[in-house]
Amino acid sequence: MIYSILADLIIVFHFLFIAFVVAGAFLVLKWHWVIYIHIPAAIWGVLIEIEQWICPLTPLEVRLRMAAGESFYEGGFIAHYLVPIIYPPGLNRAMQISLAIFVIVVNVGVYGYYVWKRIRIKSQ
């Protein structure tokens, strides 16, 4: 039971990390110190997709599922909503590159706005 709960928590954390990689730059607009956490996380997320690395959370989650005697995700919120986002069906190389480009474009856009805003404030 505890291993199953821990595996579910890993999935939730994994989802939150992905959300942070994609949209964490928006937090920088509010809290500037987040930039020191977000930029390395965003680089890591892009490299995971481009280099086809396996996120360290994936094997940990699999080991916890095995320890719980589960072969895959049970029904419910996690299996229905989070797993397809973290492990999209039909994930292939082209999709991985597209996801990486999406993350780069979103973050470059938000950071571009952030820099423009700071320059504008300093020039006033």
Side-chain angles (χ1 to χ4, degrees):
M1 178 72 171
I2 188 74
Y3 292 116
S4 182
I5 292 169
L6 289 173
D8 286 347
L9 288 174
I10 293 292
I11 288 291
V12 170
F13 179 77
H14 202 162
F15 170 77
L16 292 173
F17 180 78
I18 291 169
F20 181 68
V21 163
V22 173
F26 290 102
L27 296 175
V28 173
L29 298 175
K30 177 80 173 161
W31 301 291
H32 304 296
W33 60 268
V34 174
I35 196 168
Y36 301 109
I37 301 167
H38 181 253
I39 287 182
I43 291 169
W44 173 257
V46 168
L47 286 174
I48 289 279
E49 294 301 332
I50 290 176
E51 296 296 327
Q52 295 180 297
W53 296 340
I54 295 175
C55 179
L57 294 174
T58 301
L60 174 60
E61 189 261 331
V62 168
R63 282 195 299 274
L64 289 169
R65 292 263 176 238
M66 289 172 48
E70 300 172 1
S71 60
F72 197 62
Y73 309 100
E74 310 258 328
F77 177 83
I78 298 223
H80 188 70
Y81 294 105
L82 297 186
V83 170
I85 294 170
I86 296 169
Y87 307 111
L91 182 66
N92 57 31
R93 185 74 177 133
M95 189 186 294
Q96 285 181 297
I97 296 296
S98 298
L99 290 170
I101 290 169
F102 175 74
V103 168
I104 291 168
V105 167
V106 167
N107 284 292
V108 165
V110 175
Y111 279 114
Y113 173 76
Y114 173 77
V115 169
W116 173 79
K117 185 177 159 186
R118 292 194 49 108
I119 290 171
R120 192 168 160 224
I121 289 170
K122 284 184 181 182
S123 67
Q124 291 179 352

